[in-house]
């Protein structure tokens, strides 16, 4: 990755320093350098080229050959060279660098308070690129003609803004505009000062950011946050906040050294940090949670707003519920009508939608939960080279797609929940963008086995003449984890999530696989329980609680004084019984996500959810922070037709025994211990038969930090090497990579 990251000026300076002559140029696939001079100087040049690359550049490979001298008299930077069918990596958008930030905040600097300040080390990239090679006419900056000062910087190889394609200043670059809720321009001298004042007054402002609109409001005001929630129709889903400085983050959250590194990295993601009790951030920002999603400002506009408002700001995606983030001015005014009181707009178009990335630090390393800004479209390196390009369409929730070429897997940025046409359109457009940017033409299309996913339909409709490969959901989860850990040999895969379509047409989600890139066998799973009402059981976890106890313990238990049953009306209880007994709209599932839901509801923690996994998340939050109590509930493992089944009857008996007698915190902790024990015990039994000693953990359930810690500890105690996620989400955002690898492996050079 050497375009738009100050690589050529670096080469220029290096060549000049060693008194070498020749040239450097970008091509569509790499960078070419010809240097002429003394042997010793050439050797030093080559060594420093590798050692001292600019912060954002990445060199995958250097090939050096000797050539007879030409007799160059100077060193120059030549025009980019376009090559048919070749491609080059495109840089993600990068948070404002320190040099730009200091110009932004220095009175007297010509970019003082200019919200579109950037240089070769920072600023927009992927969100403004329409095609490669990366040059200004191929970006959404082409409409702005540089003034003479900017042009001079742009042309000077020794300047920080040499060939900085989005280079701009107040004279020639994009500008802000404030628009009210009726779409009328508000005439103000200073948009930032006025916006800051409105935010302090409790108003909700839609701000055009890097990859789309964000909704901002005062994060310390219960009223402002409640208003935003009511308008966005999101009563509980946690909102991210932005704080001006790292010092301020530390006032509100605990920050470890590793978390500090993540927060201040040039990717600048939202980090999930432990929330301090005395923080002034409204509890309504993340109701019932111990972690707060926090990020630092990553554009000059954010820096200015945060400083001038002087408050922590909610900074959440500009959308209603699960639609994609709004990106164009007109679109935002239409879609966010009635949500935002004012709009802070600008006239630099966003070409690619790009959400904020989300990460947490667990097991002492960052784990991406949502991979977008700052990370995509940088590819994941494959441990093999594929001969055929594969498009993998991903799953449904938290969708991403992935396209493989050579030894690269281009995972798209987070697309969203593919449950509406807007998101499908975003998915289709982004596939076209990747195909264009990276010169891709997939010959194989991989898809999830679920017949109702929009991504699956897309694959089947678009695959005219292409090879179609269906990939089982949990196989894809496990392979995604193996790939990012560089593991190829068979592993025991523990795939725990909410929903995944099984090879037998049932809903899986508590799976033990023996898997490699080629195939898998399902060697164990949690026992099946019916989901009364199908999707209704996901939205209303008390239905799962009812199902577990009714199925595992029988009718008589329903007569007991179980608090959660008091909130379910007797008609609905009767309906559920009928559904279960007659098997009407009652798909069986082995899902671990549903097990967490059911226990959460049974303990009276959460019976109805507003966002995915809310009941499970709140069950995790209920557990105490000190985890020295090691007691677990009983469970049993039986063998049926060579498959190990975890039976849950004893577990539910024990929980019901404890409900009302023990604090919910203790029951939750014991439950988490039980799942960790289950994982370790199943893996021990499988390993005994198969002789495997690596275990890969994947699936959305492993976003549960307490479970992840306990499971890894229990497995390591059994002597296993445990593979977990870091670069790729453990949730369904990682599915596309697994699919792509499984489909590519057949056509790989091994
Ligand atoms: Zn910069
Ligand atoms: Zn200018
Ligand atoms: Fe999944």
């Amino acid at each position: 990755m050497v375009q738009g990251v100050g690589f050529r000026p670096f080469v220029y300076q290096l060549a000049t320093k060693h008194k070498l002559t020749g040239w450097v140029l970008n091509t569509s696939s790499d960078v070419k350098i010809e240097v002429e001079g003394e042997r010793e100087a050439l050797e030093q040049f080559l060594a420093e080229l590798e050692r001292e690359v600019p912060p954002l550049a990445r060199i995958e490979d250097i090939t050096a050959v000797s050539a007879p001298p030409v007799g160059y008299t100077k060193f120059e930077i030549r025009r980019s060279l376009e090559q048919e069918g070749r491609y080059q990596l495109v840089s993600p958008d990068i948070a404002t660098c320190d040099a730009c930030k200091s110009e932004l905040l220095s009175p007297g600097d010509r970019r003082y308070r200019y919200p579109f300040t950037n240089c070769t080390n920072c600023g927009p990239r992927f969100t403004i690129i329409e095609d490669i090679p990366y040059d200004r006419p191929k970006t959404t900056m082409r409409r702005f003609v540089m003034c003479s000062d900017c042009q001079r910087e742009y042309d000077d190889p020794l300047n920080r803004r040499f060939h900085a394609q989005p280079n701009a200043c107040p004279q020639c670059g994009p500008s802000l505009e404030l628009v009210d809720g009726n779409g009328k321009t508000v005439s103000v001298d200073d948009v930032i000062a006025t916006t800051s004042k409105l935010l302090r007054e409790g108003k909700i402002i839609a701000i055009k950011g890097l990859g789309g609109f964000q909704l901002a409001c005062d994060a310390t005001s219960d009223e402002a946050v409640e208003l935003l929630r009511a308008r966005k129709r999101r009563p509980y889903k946690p909102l991210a906040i932005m704080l001006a400085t790292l010092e301020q983050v530390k006032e509100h959250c605990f920050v470890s050294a590793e978390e500090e590194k993540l927060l201040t990295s040039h990717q600048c993601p939202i980090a999930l940090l432990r929330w301090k009790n005395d923080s002034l951030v409204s509890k309504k920002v993340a109701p019932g949670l111990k972690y707060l999603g926090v990020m630092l400002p990553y554009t000059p506009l954010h820096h200015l707003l945060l400083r001038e408002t002087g408050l922590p700001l909610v900074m959440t995606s500009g959308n209603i519920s699960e639609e994609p983030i709004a990106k164009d001015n007109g679109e935002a005014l239409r879609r966010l009508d009635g949500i935002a009181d004012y709009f802070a707009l600008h006239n630099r178009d966003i070409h690619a939608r790009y959400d904020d990335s989300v990460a947490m630090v667990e097991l002492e390393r960052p784990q991406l939960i949502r991979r977008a800004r700052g990370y995509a479209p940088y590819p994941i390196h494959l441990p093999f080279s594929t001969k055929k390009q594969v498009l993998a369409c991903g799953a449904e929730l938290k969708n991403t797609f992935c396209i493989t070429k050579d030894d690269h897997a281009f995972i798209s940025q987070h697309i969203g929940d593919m449950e509406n046409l807007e998101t499908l359109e975003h998915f289709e457009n982004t596939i076209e963008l990747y195909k264009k940017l990276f010169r891709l033409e997939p010959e194989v299309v991989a898809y999830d086995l679920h017949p109702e996913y929009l991504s699956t339909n897309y694959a089947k409709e678009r695959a005219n003449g292409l090879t179609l490969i269906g990939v089982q959901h949990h196989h894809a989860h496990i392979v995604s984890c193996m790939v990012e850990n560089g593991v190829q040999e068979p592993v025991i895969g523990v795939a725990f999530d909410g929903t995944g379509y099984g090879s037998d047409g049932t809903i899986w989600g508590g799976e033990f696989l023996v898997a490699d890139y080629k195939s898998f066998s399902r060697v164990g799973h949690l026992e099946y329980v019916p989901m009364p009402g199908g999707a209704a059981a996901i939205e209303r976890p008390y239905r799962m609680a009812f199902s577990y106890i009714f199925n595992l313990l029988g009718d008589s238990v329903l007569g007991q004084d179980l608090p959660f049953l008091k909130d379910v009306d007797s008609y609905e209880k009767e309906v559920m019984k009928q559904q279960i007994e007659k098997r009407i709209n009652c798909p069986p599932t082995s899902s671990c996500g549903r097990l967490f839901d059911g226990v959460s509801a049974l303990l009276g923690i959460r019976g109805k959810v507003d966002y995915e996994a809310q009941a499970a998340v709140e069950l995790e939050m209920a557990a105490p922070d000190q985890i020295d109590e090691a007691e677990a509930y009983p469970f049993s493992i039986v063998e049926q037709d060579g498959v190990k089944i975890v039976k849950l009857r004893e577990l539910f008996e024990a929980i019901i025994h404890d409900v009302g007698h023990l604090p919910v915190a203790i029951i939750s902790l014991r439950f988490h211990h039980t799942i960790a024990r289950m994982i370790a015990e199943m893996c021990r039994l499988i390993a005994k038969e198969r002789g495997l000693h690596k275990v890969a953990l994947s699936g959305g359930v492993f976003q549960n930090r307490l479970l992840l810690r306990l499971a890894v500890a229990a497995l390591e105690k059994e002597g296993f090497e445990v593979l977990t996620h870091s670069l790729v989400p453990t949730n369904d955002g990682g599915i596309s990579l697994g699919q792509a690898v499984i489909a590519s492996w057949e056509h790989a050079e091994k």
Side-chain angles (χ1 to χ4, degrees):
M1 189 163 69
V2 287
Q3 281 194 20
V5 290
F7 192 75
R8 287 171 305 166
F10 157 71
V11 173
Y12 178 92
Q13 287 175 41
L14 201 59
T16 314
K17 180 176 133 190
H18 292 291
K19 301 195 169 54
L20 300 171
T21 57
W23 48 262
V24 55
L25 66 78
N26 277 341
T27 77
S28 312
S29 59
D30 54 16
V31 63
K32 294 206 187 309
I33 305 168
E34 204 164 303
V35 276
E36 201 169 285
E38 296 298 325
R39 175 171 297 280
E40 205 174 307
L42 288 171
E43 275 164 12
Q44 273 172 13
F45 173 85
L46 198 55
E48 287 174 30
L49 188 67
E50 270 188 275
R51 206 171 54 225
E52 289 167 21
V53 283
L56 303 182
R58 293 207 212 181
I59 297 179
E60 298 210 322
D61 191 25
I62 296 181
T63 310
V65 292
S66 300
V70 172
Y72 295 113
T73 54
K74 58 176 180 163
F75 192 87
E76 60 179 347
I77 294 172
R78 291 191 175 172
R79 278 178 66 94
S80 301
L81 191 71
E82 245 177 286
Q83 301 157 296
E84 201 55 42
R86 302 298 298 273
Y87 67 106
Q88 194 166 50
L89 304 181
V90 170
S91 168
D93 290 27
I94 298 300
T96 307
C97 73
D98 288 342
C100 285
K101 191 173 135 194
S102 101
E103 289 171 346
L104 183 72
L105 303 175
S106 305
D109 191 282
R110 74 184 193 95
R111 288 189 176 85
Y112 176 56
R113 294 183 81 245
Y114 181 56
F116 303 94
T117 302
N118 67 79
C119 72
T120 42
N121 299 322
C122 75
R125 295 286 186 282
F126 174 61
T127 55
I128 59 166
I129 296 179
E130 293 167 352
D131 203 355
I132 53 163
Y134 173 55
D135 279 322
R136 191 161 170 127
K138 290 182 176 170
T139 72
T140 61
M141 280 299 289
R142 89 182 136 249
R143 64 194 278 194
F144 302 99
V145 178
M146 274 185 273
C147 68
S148 56
D149 286 341
C150 285
Q151 188 70 48
R152 203 171 306 126
E153 294 165 337
Y154 184 91
D155 291 335
D156 175 5
L158 298 177
N159 193 287
R160 206 173 88 241
R161 295 194 166 89
F162 175 72
H163 284 206
Q165 307 305 344
N167 188 25
C169 80
Q171 305 319 314
C172 65
S175 55
L176 288 175
E177 180 189 12
L178 189 68
V179 168
D180 69 15
N182 299 316
K184 275 216 225 54
T185 302
V186 186
S187 147
V188 290
D189 291 340
D190 189 328
V191 172
I192 290 165
T194 310
T195 305
S196 301
K197 184 172 149 277
L198 291 166
L199 284 165
R200 281 195 305 272
E201 287 167 3
K203 296 283 190 281
I204 294 167
I205 318 282
I207 295 166
K208 188 176 187 180
L210 213 45
F213 277 78
Q214 292 170 312
L215 289 162
C217 72
D218 177 358
T220 63
S221 158
D222 286 352
E223 294 78 31
V225 177
E226 254 178 4
L227 188 64
L228 176 61
R229 287 195 172 282
R231 291 182 183 173
K232 249 185 96 127
R233 287 180 247 148
R234 276 266 92 121
Y236 293 102
K237 196 175 185 183
L239 305 170
I241 68 163
M242 189 179 269
L243 291 160
T245 61
L246 183 64
E247 289 62 46
Q248 282 185 30
V249 176
K250 289 176 179 173
E251 283 172 28
H252 298 280
C253 295
F254 296 98
V255 183
S256 69
E258 200 57 45
E259 285 166 338
E260 182 167 326
K261 241 167 71 190
L262 183 67
L263 280 167
T264 57
S265 66
H266 59 71
Q267 289 93 347
C268 200
I270 295 168
L272 301 179
L273 304 175
R274 188 161 274 272
W275 198 356
K276 288 185 175 172
N277 282 330
D278 60 355
S279 157
L280 293 177
V281 171
S282 165
K283 293 285 173 265
K284 295 179 192 301
V285 167
L289 303 187
K290 292 176 186 172
Y291 297 93
L292 191 57
V294 182
M295 64 186 141
L296 289 170
Y298 56 85
T299 69
L301 177 57
H302 289 125
H303 278 292
L304 295 170
L305 276 177
L306 263 291
R307 270 160 204 273
E308 299 186 18
T309 309
L311 289 167
L313 294 179
V314 166
M315 202 60 78
T316 187
S317 310
N319 58 7
I320 303 180
S321 292
E322 297 305 335
E323 288 175 11
I325 186 169
K327 77 173 175 65
D328 300 324
N329 292 353
E331 178 198 5
L333 288 168
R334 186 168 36 82
R335 284 179 47 205
L336 303 179
D337 180 32
I339 300 182
D341 296 309
Y342 290 89
F343 295 80
L345 305 178
H346 62 70
N347 52 353
R348 184 178 73 203
D349 289 340
I350 298 170
H351 189 62
R353 273 177 231 277
Y354 205 42
D355 290 86
D356 292 320
S357 293
V358 182
M360 63 181 185
V361 173
E362 198 50 72
L363 306 172
E364 278 143 36
R365 63 176 186 163
Q367 272 196 41
L368 281 173
I369 292 169
R370 183 163 78 196
R371 187 179 180 275
R373 179 177 51 75
Y375 299 93
Y378 197 73
I380 301 286
H381 195 78
L382 294 177
F384 60 89
S385 191
T386 178
K387 275 192 247 160
K388 286 195 176 171
Q389 293 176 31
V390 175
L391 163 65
C393 298
E396 177 160 81
L397 297 178
K398 303 177 170 66
N399 176 280
T400 61
F401 63 82
C402 177
I403 307 181
T404 58
K405 184 171 182 175
D406 307 331
D407 58 354
H408 288 141
F410 294 93
I411 308 185
S412 72
Q413 74 269 33
H414 167 83
I415 300 290
D417 295 347
M418 291 259 281
E419 296 178 311
N420 52 58
L421 289 174
E422 288 81 1
T423 313
L424 178 65
E425 210 178 281
H426 174 27
F427 171 82
E428 294 179 348
N429 293 340
T430 311
I431 290 179
E432 293 311 314
L433 175 66
Y434 274 65
K435 280 163 72 173
K436 190 172 172 188
L437 284 185
F438 302 112
R439 307 291 194 248
L440 301 167
E441 212 35 76
E443 298 168 79
V444 178
V445 181
Y447 62 93
D448 192 279
L449 297 178
H450 201 300
E452 280 158 29
Y453 283 179
L454 290 179
S455 57
T456 302
N457 291 337
Y458 170 90
K460 291 185 175 169
E461 282 166 17
R462 296 305 170 92
N464 264 333
L466 306 180
T467 310
L468 268 175
I469 299 182
V471 177
Q472 201 279 322
H473 189 94
H474 302 97
H475 185 204
H477 267 309
I478 296 305
V479 169
S480 73
C481 182
M482 293 170 68
V483 170
E484 75 155 295
N485 286 287
V487 170
Q488 289 189 25
E489 71 274 20
V491 300
I492 301 174
V494 182
F496 278 10
D497 63 2
T499 302
Y501 200 80
S503 318
D504 58 1
T506 64
I507 299 168
W508 296 6
E511 309 308 309
F512 294 85
L513 313 178
V514 168
D516 58 18
Y517 297 171
K518 190 162 178 268
S519 62
F520 75 99
S521 59
R522 189 192 195 198
V523 293
H525 58 85
L526 302 187
E527 75 171 295
Y528 281 105
V529 285
M531 290 164 66
I538 301 174
E539 285 150 24
R540 283 172 271 165
Y542 64 78
R543 286 182 156 251
M544 285 313 301
F546 184 93
S547 178
Y548 281 108
I549 57 178
F550 181 63
N551 279 282
L552 299 173
L553 309 174
D555 212 2
S556 63
V557 185
L558 295 176
Q560 279 186 27
D561 180 32
L562 291 169
F564 92 97
L565 282 171
K566 292 196 191 97
D567 297 332
V568 185
D569 71 50
S570 42
Y571 175 74
E572 191 175 358
K573 279 182 223 167
E574 213 37 58
V575 170
M576 284 192 279
K577 268 198 219 176
Q578 296 277 330
Q579 283 178 323
I580 293 167
E581 277 168 354
K582 297 185 180 151
R583 302 274 155 194
I584 309 162
N585 191 16
C586 248
T589 185
S590 55
S591 163
C592 186
R594 297 291 86 78
L595 176 59
F596 272 83
D597 282 0
V599 171
S600 178
L602 179 58
L603 300 187
I605 294 171
R606 176 67 48 192
K608 281 186 198 167
V609 300
D610 166 44
Y611 58 91
E612 197 209 356
Q614 183 183 5
V617 168
E618 292 179 2
L619 177 61
E620 179 193 355
M621 294 302 127
D625 298 332
Q626 290 295 340
I627 53 168
D628 30 309
E629 196 210 312
E631 201 174 323
Y633 289 121
F635 58 90
S636 54
I637 296 169
V638 299
E639 186 120 354
Q640 274 170 21
D641 306 322
V643 177
K644 295 176 175 48
I645 319 267
V646 182
K647 299 293 242 178
L648 303 168
R649 184 191 161 92
E650 294 106 313
L651 168 62
F652 276 90
E653 268 172 355
I655 293 177
I656 284 178
H657 180 265
D658 280 355
V659 173
H661 300 286
L662 281 181
V664 164
I666 301 298
I667 304 176
S668 169
L669 182 58
R670 286 185 180 174
F671 173 72
H672 280 82
H673 269 290
T674 312
I675 303 297
R677 287 263 183 97
M678 235 176 235
I679 291 171
E681 182 58 14
M682 283 288 276
C683 290
R684 191 183 65 80
L685 295 173
I686 296 162
K688 217 165 71 182
E689 289 172 11
R690 305 284 185 129
L692 300 169
H693 64 277
K694 285 190 173 126
V695 175
L697 302 180
S698 191
V701 168
F702 292 107
Q703 266 173 241
N704 182 321
R705 303 165 78 144
L706 174 59
L707 176 66
L708 181 67
R709 279 199 297 269
L710 293 174
V712 169
L715 285 165
E716 284 177 348
K717 213 170 141 195
E718 292 287 344
F720 287 108
E721 183 187 331
V722 188
L723 314 177
T724 59
H725 283 281
S726 174
L727 305 171
V728 177
T730 189
N731 58 48
D732 284 4
I735 287 287
S736 64
L737 175 65
Q739 291 173 342
V741 167
I742 291 163
S744 299
W745 183 243
E746 286 197 39
H747 312 286
E749 283 166 24
K750 289 162 213 168

